[in-house]
Amino acid sequence: MSPSRTGYLGVGSTIRTRIALVYGGVFLVLGALLLLVVNLLVRAGTDGQKEAIVARADEVAVVEAYRIGDDVGRAAHQQMLMWSCMSLLVIACGAVVVGWWTAGRVLRPVHEMTARARRLSERDLGGRLAVRGPDDELKELGDTIDALLGRLETAFDSQRRFIANASHELRTPLATQRAALQVGLDEDCEVRQVLLDTNRHSERLLDGLLLLARGERGLAEREDVPFAEVVREEYEDAAVAEHGVVRGSRVLLRQLVRNLVANAVAHNVPGGFVDVRVAGGVLTVVNTGPVVPPDDVEGLFEPFRRGEGRDRTGPGAGLGLSIVRSVAIAHGGTATAAARGADEGGGLVVTVTLPVTATRP
């Protein structure tokens, strides 16, 4: 989460601002009604006092008394209205400030719950919000989220156990089948190579699925990985403009680079090229190949999607770019692609951007 989003219940909170403005608006309306009633009552009382004063005057001074009474009453009403409006505005501003403070106090538990929930992930589902306080709506919300986290923790644990068991249970029969084919069939047997190719394809597919699942589950442990060094291990001719240190899994990062390069090579054309460049945490792989319509580029990151001319019986499993994006997201990064035009030789420009902790030329 970006820092700006943490302000939803803090200083820049929309909810908090609305509560404060509503609080001040309600006070302004009620205060205006109160002052209107007071002014009407004062006007009525002043008129009555004026009549009593005029009644005590002699006949000569009646007209002058009426005029003076009207002037005094008008001046009193104007002064009272002016000071009432000014006082109302000042108090309304104070009400907004009080409403802002009150809203902050009321929403503080929600802000704390949001901060705790943000720190939780599928790798730390053992934590809970553990809201304390009176048995009110906020505590009920916290308990509901804790119950949801408990169910998610159970589901993720079940998924991890399933993947671990599947990895063992499926690899063993495939390895046994491969050994049986290599030993039991003669090398000149036409079916032998077909069965071996199918077996290897199944193993690659299994490895890809397990790696994809591992990337989507996130990283259990992280270490400082020199990204350019990993890229060079997988592709010696990579051009390095800037060295960056990525916090993550070296194994998964190597697989990311390996899949990108393998994908670029597999979808290339005779006489084409593959260009690999890294600068800090940005890896760019460019290749020539079939022209990909721009609308189809995003679909290449979906599992089991192959480029033009690739079929399900080929060597690929259709998981290369899916694994690349999954690993990038697990490291807090992104993976995007752009199609090259026919005048450029076709192919793709795939860019992986990972957050780095340090860089050097």
Side-chain angles (χ1 to χ4, degrees):
M1 295 290 180
S2 61
S4 60
R5 297 192 66 179
T6 60
Y8 281 177
L9 299 176
V11 177
S13 168
T14 303
I15 297 177
R16 188 177 183 183
T17 302
R18 287 206 304 264
I19 292 177
L21 291 178
V22 169
Y23 192 87
V26 171
F27 182 87
L28 184 64
V29 172
L30 295 179
L33 292 176
L34 176 63
L35 290 180
L36 177 63
V37 173
V38 170
N39 275 272
L40 291 176
L41 293 176
V42 170
R43 181 183 290 273
T46 307
D47 290 342
Q49 292 292 330
K50 182 181 68 174
E51 295 292 339
I53 294 173
V54 171
R56 292 198 299 269
D58 53 22
E59 294 181 0
V60 179
V62 169
V63 178
E64 185 68 17
Y66 268 111
R67 186 180 65 79
I68 294 174
D70 288 338
D71 293 341
V72 172
R74 189 179 302 108
H77 294 156
Q78 290 177 351
Q79 288 291 316
M80 184 172 183
L81 181 62
M82 180 185 68
W83 287 108
S84 297
C85 291
M86 292 180 62
S87 300
L88 180 62
L89 290 177
V90 171
I91 296 176
C93 292
V96 172
V97 174
V98 173
W100 177 268
W101 179 84
T102 304
R105 296 281 294 182
V106 172
L107 294 176
R108 182 179 297 174
V110 180
H111 177 57
E112 294 175 354
M113 290 167 57
T114 303
R116 292 177 188 173
R118 188 176 294 119
R119 290 193 295 267
L120 298 177
S121 66
E122 65 272 17
R123 281 293 178 182
D124 188 27
L125 289 176
R128 295 292 183 269
L129 300 182
V131 178
R132 294 186 296 271
D135 191 12
D136 54 10
E137 289 82 358
L138 292 179
K139 190 174 187 304
E140 182 180 0
L141 174 61
D143 293 342
T144 301
I145 294 177
D146 285 344
L148 174 62
L149 290 174
R151 291 193 294 271
L152 287 175
E153 183 181 17
T154 302
F156 275 106
D157 287 342
S158 176
Q159 182 193 46
R160 294 188 188 103
R161 288 193 299 270
F162 171 78
I163 292 175
N165 293 334
S167 176
H168 175 73
E169 296 295 334
L170 294 178
R171 285 176 187 272
T172 301
L174 286 175
T176 303
Q177 290 175 12
R178 184 177 67 251
L181 290 172
Q182 292 173 339
V183 175
L185 296 178
D186 296 332
E187 293 186 3
D188 56 352
C189 180
E190 296 180 358
V191 182
R192 180 177 187 270
Q193 191 59 43
V194 175
L195 294 176
L196 286 175
D197 290 341
T198 303
N199 183 272
R200 293 191 185 97
H201 179 81
S202 299
E203 289 180 338
R204 285 193 296 268
L205 177 59
L206 175 60
D207 291 339
L209 288 172
L210 293 176
L211 186 61
L212 181 62
R214 179 182 175 186
E216 290 180 346
R217 292 200 320 271
L219 304 179
E221 299 178 356
R222 294 177 182 265
E223 60 177 323
D224 290 334
V225 181
F227 192 44
E229 180 181 309
V230 171
V231 175
R232 280 278 178 82
E233 290 175 356
E234 297 298 325
Y235 192 79
E236 295 181 355
D237 296 332
V240 179
E242 187 179 54
H243 291 265
V245 177
V246 175
R247 188 78 177 160
S249 168
R250 190 183 191 95
V251 174
L252 289 180
L253 290 175
R254 289 189 62 176
Q255 188 66 45
L256 179 148
V257 179
R258 185 180 304 129
N259 280 23
L260 274 182
V261 174
N263 187 77
V265 172
H267 291 78
N268 214 325
V269 294
F273 70 89
V274 174
D275 182 65
V276 179
R277 298 180 180 274
V278 59
V282 180
L283 172 64
T284 305
V285 178
V286 183
N287 74 309
T288 50
V291 178
V292 180
D295 294 339
D296 294 343
V297 171
E298 186 63 24
L300 297 177
F301 288 96
E302 298 178 7
F304 304 109
R305 286 289 296 271
R306 295 168 172 82
E308 183 179 346
R310 311 294 292 183
D311 56 40
R312 295 188 180 276
T313 61
L319 295 172
L321 290 181
S322 301
I323 292 174
V324 167
R325 174 167 284 181
S326 177
V327 173
I329 293 175
H331 287 78
T334 59
T336 58
R340 287 161 48 89
D343 56 337
E344 299 176 300
L348 291 175
V349 178
V350 182
T351 303
V352 175
T353 305
L354 303 175
V356 297
T357 59
T359 58
R360 64 178 177 83

